[in-house]
Amino acid sequence: MTAGSLEPPDGQLPAATSAPAPAPTGDSWALPRGVVVLIGAGGAVLAVMGIRTFSDIIGPVFLALVLTIAVSPLRRLLVRRGVRTWLAALIALVTVNVFLLGMAAAVAYSVAKLATLLPTYQDKFAELVDDARGWLADHGVGEQQLQAALEKLDLGKFFDLLQSLLSGLVGTLSDLSFVVIVLFFMALDATQFPDRLREAGRDRPDIINALSGFARGTTRYLIVCTVFGFVVAAIDVGVLYLLDIPLPWLWGLLAFITNYIPNVGFFIGVVPPALLGLLDQGVATMLWVIAAYCVINFIIQSIIQPKVVGDAVGLSTTLSFLSLIVWAWILGPVGAVLAIPASLLVKSVLIDADPSTRWLGGLISGGQLPEPAEDTDPAETSADLPPVENTGERVVG
């Protein structure tokens, strides 16, 4: 056989060589993918249980972090206007503390007023129950079924639940002894933190970009929710004044707070004023309250607000709802308010920071997909690509 010939002599195949197998590359899995998924899921469960165990500490700390991020645009604006860095940080700290103290005082005052108002409606509620019992009895509902249902219907239990919910909000907002301390130290660190991020970004740009994206998304989300919360609360208060519903400012404040709770905040805010409308003036007023809230919620929170928010959150509607349930279970009442920022932080750390998992962001995003490119001829597309050389190497992976 000549040196340039590719055919073996006598048509026989050459003997197999004992060349060593190529070493596995760094992309190969040391463990089966299913085992890795199970290990990751187990680690996630342990992490969630640990966070839930220390929720009394983690919740206020994360609240302080979100509030620090929320007022960071004010601090940067003051610095750009020539205000000294320490003074800008102090102004931002005072602003956020005044907001917290004002919210806590307003909720505490409203709960006190509600506690004095509720006992006056016990007789009215009993009268409504008797009227409902007579109406159902006239339509063939048995007395035993009515009695079993009415035993579970207790106005006192409902109002106790409502008071406990509002008291929980008071405790979350008024427990500032720890939150204010954390806010103070975070405000001090915030003056130098941008420089530290830029320095760290030289070695870990993916992680720093992901954390910066979390801060930007959280800021936009909080600003939009705050603005629309004020608008919704102002309109609700005006409607409740026109309908002569007791404590309209309390229910406006509740509407403002529940605007931060995704998906179900509207239902939480509409129940108390609707019930008071029923007890105070009758079924017609209750229906007017529900109709007004539905119109306001649909126009502002379902049409205008999502268009303004756009893809700032980057979470689908289903994932936002599940975030509410999960974080409320993990962190308590404050978890319901901070559900979206908490999910954004998890997304930035587990998905956005790793180039190999960024494709998941498109699956869980609630924003609009990019417009597809114009159809092109596959032959023209392949002609524009560089030729691929066959090096004879086997790809492992």
Side-chain angles (χ1 to χ4, degrees):
M1 180 178 64
T2 61
S5 175
L6 297 178
E7 296 182 0
D10 301 330
Q12 297 179 358
L13 295 176
T17 60
S18 59
T25 63
D27 295 334
S28 61
W29 289 87
L31 292 174
R33 190 179 297 271
V35 176
V36 174
V37 171
L38 291 176
I39 294 175
V45 171
L46 291 177
V48 167
M49 297 306 297
I51 294 173
R52 190 167 188 261
T53 301
F54 298 99
S55 60
D56 293 338
I57 298 176
I58 296 176
V61 170
F62 188 68
L63 174 61
L65 174 63
V66 171
L67 292 175
T68 303
I69 293 174
V71 297
S72 59
L74 174 61
R75 178 183 55 80
R76 292 195 298 266
L77 177 62
L78 293 175
V79 171
R80 287 195 298 266
R81 294 295 179 88
V83 180
R84 292 183 178 273
T85 303
W86 66 268
L87 182 57
L90 179 61
I91 293 174
L93 179 63
V94 171
T95 301
V96 71
N97 283 332
V98 168
F99 175 78
L100 278 180
L101 288 172
M103 292 286 292
V107 174
Y109 174 77
S110 301
V111 169
K113 292 286 291 183
L114 182 63
T116 61
L117 178 66
L118 294 182
T120 62
Y121 289 105
Q122 291 288 348
D123 295 338
K124 180 66 175 180
F125 182 76
E127 180 181 347
L128 289 174
V129 170
D130 292 337
D131 293 341
R133 176 185 296 178
W135 184 83
L136 292 174
D138 294 339
H139 288 75
V141 179
E143 183 66 25
Q144 294 181 351
Q145 292 87 343
L146 283 175
Q147 189 64 30
L150 293 175
E151 287 177 356
K152 300 178 181 179
L153 185 61
D154 187 358
L155 181 63
K157 292 181 180 179
F158 173 79
F159 284 140
D160 289 341
L161 177 62
L162 178 61
Q163 284 185 300
S164 65
L165 174 62
L166 295 175
S167 300
L169 290 176
V170 173
T172 301
L173 295 175
S174 61
D175 187 16
L176 299 179
S177 58
F178 181 58
V179 176
V180 169
I181 294 175
V182 177
L183 275 172
F184 175 75
F185 289 108
M186 285 187 176
L188 294 179
D189 291 335
T191 59
Q192 302 295 330
F193 200 68
D195 296 332
R196 298 176 185 177
L197 280 178
R198 283 191 292 269
E199 184 66 23
R202 298 176 181 178
D203 296 327
R204 294 291 186 270
D206 293 330
I207 297 178
I208 300 306
N209 289 335
L211 293 177
S212 300
F214 155 71
R216 289 191 299 269
T218 300
T219 302
R220 290 195 295 265
Y221 171 74
L222 292 176
I223 290 175
V224 171
C225 285
T226 301
V227 172
F228 279 96
F230 273 120
V231 173
V232 170
I235 298 176
D236 287 343
V237 170
V239 170
L240 295 178
Y241 261 116
L242 291 176
L243 295 175
D244 198 20
I245 302 298
L247 302 178
W249 288 104
L250 169 61
W251 312 128
L253 178 62
L254 183 63
F256 173 76
I257 296 175
T258 55
N259 191 63
Y260 293 97
I261 303 177
N263 302 118
V264 301
F266 160 73
F267 299 100
I268 299 175
V270 72
V271 171
L275 183 59
L276 278 182
L278 172 66
L279 296 175
D280 192 66
Q281 302 181 38
V283 178
T285 303
M286 179 190 70
L287 295 178
W288 275 111
V289 171
I290 295 176
Y293 266 68
C294 288
V295 171
I296 296 169
N297 176 78
F298 180 76
I299 294 177
I300 296 180
Q301 296 179 333
S302 299
I303 297 179
I304 302 176
Q305 184 171 339
K307 291 183 179 180
V308 176
V309 174
D311 58 351
V313 174
L315 298 175
S316 64
T317 304
T318 302
L319 195 58
S320 299
F321 176 72
L322 294 178
S323 298
L324 167 67
I325 297 175
V326 171
W327 289 110
W329 176 72
I330 295 175
L331 297 178
V334 70
V337 179
L338 300 177
I340 297 300
S343 296
L344 287 178
L345 178 60
V346 173
K347 175 177 175 289
S348 66
V349 173
L350 299 182
I351 295 178
D352 297 339
D354 190 352
S356 64
T357 58
R358 287 177 187 166
W359 59 271
L360 287 171
L363 298 179
I364 65 176
S365 175
Q368 295 291 332
L369 292 175
E371 293 294 334
E374 296 181 359
D375 295 336
T376 57
D377 188 357
E380 296 178 358
T381 304
S382 61
D384 295 335
L385 298 176
V388 180
E389 297 182 359
N390 184 8
T391 60
E393 295 179 356
R394 183 165 61 93
V395 179
V396 180

